[in-house]
């Protein structure tokens, strides 16, 4: 699982760095033809827009969560937009530019999502993938997933990781936080993810027991595993990975983890179950995210689509001295 590249847009030189990072990510993903250059254009335009109009803005670049491609997330705490559609019209500009930035991004990207609020800021997700690979949308048979995974400041390895699998109509999600940070924590986290993907459809306690056995000679980890169907949500957690259910009105439910360390002193796993409700977003995050964000979140935050919600939490609530991961699953879907 690749680490998210975080690029603070605190100087116009970040535009070139964003473009080169997006091109390299596309090439690493095996994108061919003009796609790496298109990825570079997307990143350049988004970084330019943040540089001109945003405050305390950043880009987050990474492979797409569930298919081959590139995801570019732009977040700022700027003035926001009173009329987003007008701002995406070619030729419209408030900063003396050609006014083609957001309009160009929307045309080039396979998937484009924007949310903005005056006085709060703007968030954009642009995705680009190999033609014919599906777009990762609900109609494509995959869950709406947002994920951001960043290491502690000064580290290149991230001790957090995540996984998502769809089996027999159920979506199963994992967030793991290796003890400490750095290379040893990253090895423990990646071992847990590999174990998860070997058989993600088995009962949650069995998944945790399998990870416990696999991590016995590692540093150990905190782990949360969540499974949801159209009718029910299950969560089993050991350690301080946090689970929440959100609605546009706020936090519907928080899930607590059992004390212990997977790989060292894991208790017998317990499963928490609640009925699934339409419109709820499932969220897991490591303790690199300050849990106080959930005390009184704004309706703007809790209404964000899955990719933008993950980026918003990392951008505004990350503890910079720790690894941080946020994984979000969009609202439960019911067949008509």
């Amino acid at each position: 699982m690749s680490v998210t590249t975080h690029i603070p847009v605190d100087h116009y030189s970040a535009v070139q760095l964003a473009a080169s990072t997006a091109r390299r990510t596309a090439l690493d993903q095996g994108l061919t033809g003009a796609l790496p250059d298109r990825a570079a254009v997307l990143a350049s335009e988004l970084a330019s827009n943040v540089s001109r109009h945003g405050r305390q803005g950043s880009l987050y670049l990474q492979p797409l969560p569930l298919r081959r491609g590139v995801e570019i997330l732009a977040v700022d705490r700027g003035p926001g937009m009173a009329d987003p559609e007008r701002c995406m019209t070619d030729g419209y500009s408030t900063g003396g530019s050609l006014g083609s930035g957001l309009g160009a991004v929307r045309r080039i990207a396979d998937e484009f999502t924007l949310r903005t609020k005056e006085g709060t800021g703007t968030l954009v997700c642009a995705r680009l993938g190999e033609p014919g690979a599906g777009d990762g949308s609900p109609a494509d048979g995959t869950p709406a997933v947002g994920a951001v995974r960043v290491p502690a400041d000064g580290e290149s390895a991230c001790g957090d990781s995540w996984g998502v699998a769809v089996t027999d109509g159920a979506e199963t999600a994992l967030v793991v936080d290796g003890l400490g940070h750095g290379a040893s924590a990253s090895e423990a986290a990646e071992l847990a993810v590999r174990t998860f993907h070997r058989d993600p459809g088995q009962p949650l306690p069995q998944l945790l027991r399998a990870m416990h056995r696999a991590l016995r000679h590692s540093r150990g980890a905190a782990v949360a595993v969540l499974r949801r169907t159209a009718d029910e949500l299950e969560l089993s957690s050991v350690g301080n990975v946090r689970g929440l259910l959100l609605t546009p009105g706020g936090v519907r439910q928080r899930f607590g983890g059992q004390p212990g360390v997977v790989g060292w002193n894991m208790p017998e796993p317990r499963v928490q179950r609640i009925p699934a409700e339409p419109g709820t977003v499932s969220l897991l995050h490591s303790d690199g995210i300050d849990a106080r964000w959930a005390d009184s979140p704004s309706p703007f935050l809790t209404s964000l689509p899955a990719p933008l919600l993950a980026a918003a939490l990392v951008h505004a609530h990350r503890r910079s001295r720790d690894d941080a991961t946020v994984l979000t699953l969009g609202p439960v879907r019911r067949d008509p």
Side-chain angles (χ1 to χ4, degrees):
M1 193 67 63
S2 297
V3 174
T4 305
T5 300
H6 173 217
I7 301 177
V9 185
D10 50 10
H11 187 272
Y12 198 77
S13 61
V15 174
Q16 181 58 42
L17 176 59
S20 61
T21 301
R23 182 181 287 107
R24 183 175 65 250
T25 303
L27 290 169
D28 289 345
Q29 284 286 290
L31 299 189
T32 58
L35 291 175
D37 288 336
R38 289 172 60 190
V41 171
L42 289 174
S44 175
E45 293 289 355
L46 287 173
S48 297
N49 194 67
V50 171
S51 177
R52 292 192 184 103
H53 307 296
R55 293 191 301 269
Q56 298 176 302
S58 291
L59 259 62
Y60 298 87
L61 296 95
Q62 59 192 1
L64 283 173
L66 296 180
R67 63 187 177 103
R68 202 153 47 102
V70 179
E71 178 177 73
I72 305 164
L73 297 151
V75 186
D76 71 59
R77 300 177 190 171
M81 305 177 196
D83 189 347
E85 279 299 321
R86 188 181 181 200
C87 292
M88 287 185 282
T89 302
D90 289 348
Y92 176 79
S93 173
T94 60
S97 68
L98 293 176
S100 61
L102 289 177
V105 171
R106 182 163 62 173
R107 286 194 303 274
I108 294 170
D110 294 341
E111 185 180 342
F112 175 85
T113 309
L114 181 148
R115 295 293 186 273
T116 186
K117 183 180 179 182
E118 287 188 278
T120 297
T122 300
L123 303 97
V124 179
C125 173
R127 290 175 164 181
L128 185 69
E130 195 72 52
D135 62 2
S137 66
D140 192 47
T142 56
V145 172
V148 176
R149 177 194 182 210
V150 292
D153 284 357
E155 297 279 358
S156 57
C158 183
D160 293 353
S161 197
W162 63 271
V164 172
V166 180
T167 55
D168 299 325
E171 300 164 357
T172 306
L174 163 78
V175 166
V176 54
D177 181 354
L179 264 62
H181 51 81
S184 296
S186 178
E187 290 170 5
E190 293 305 326
L191 182 55
V193 173
R194 289 198 298 271
T195 304
F196 166 81
H197 280 298
R198 286 183 191 132
D199 189 4
Q202 61 186 309
L204 300 191
Q206 290 181 217
L207 273 172
L208 281 166
R209 292 186 199 107
M211 285 184 265
H212 181 58
R213 291 191 297 270
L215 268 61
R216 278 178 178 164
H217 300 292
S218 76
R219 179 172 286 191
V223 176
V225 189
L226 179 148
R227 174 169 294 143
R228 69 181 196 183
T229 65
D231 300 314
E232 186 178 60
L233 184 141
E234 302 176 322
L235 185 134
S236 190
S237 177
V238 174
N240 54 10
V241 176
R242 292 168 173 84
L244 302 96
L245 287 186
L246 303 180
T247 69
V251 177
R252 178 194 162 202
Q253 183 146 351
R254 305 186 197 207
F255 296 95
Q258 297 173 253
V261 178
V262 176
W264 285 21
N265 59 345
M266 187 183 81
E268 180 61 24
R270 294 196 306 263
V271 178
Q272 303 171 71
R273 294 181 175 88
I274 64 169
E277 290 186 8
T280 57
V281 170
S282 304
L283 187 150
L284 299 173
H285 70 74
S286 67
D287 68 346
I289 302 296
D290 189 334
R292 290 174 294 182
W293 75 267
D295 291 344
S296 56
S298 70
F300 176 73
L301 177 66
T302 56
S303 298
L304 289 173
L308 297 184
L309 176 58
L313 290 177
V314 167
H315 190 67
H317 300 284
R318 177 172 76 98
R319 292 186 169 111
S320 61
R321 294 185 179 181
D322 197 3
D323 307 313
T325 290
V326 178
L327 175 63
T328 55
L329 298 181
V332 173
R333 303 184 301 275
R334 292 186 187 275
D335 294 333

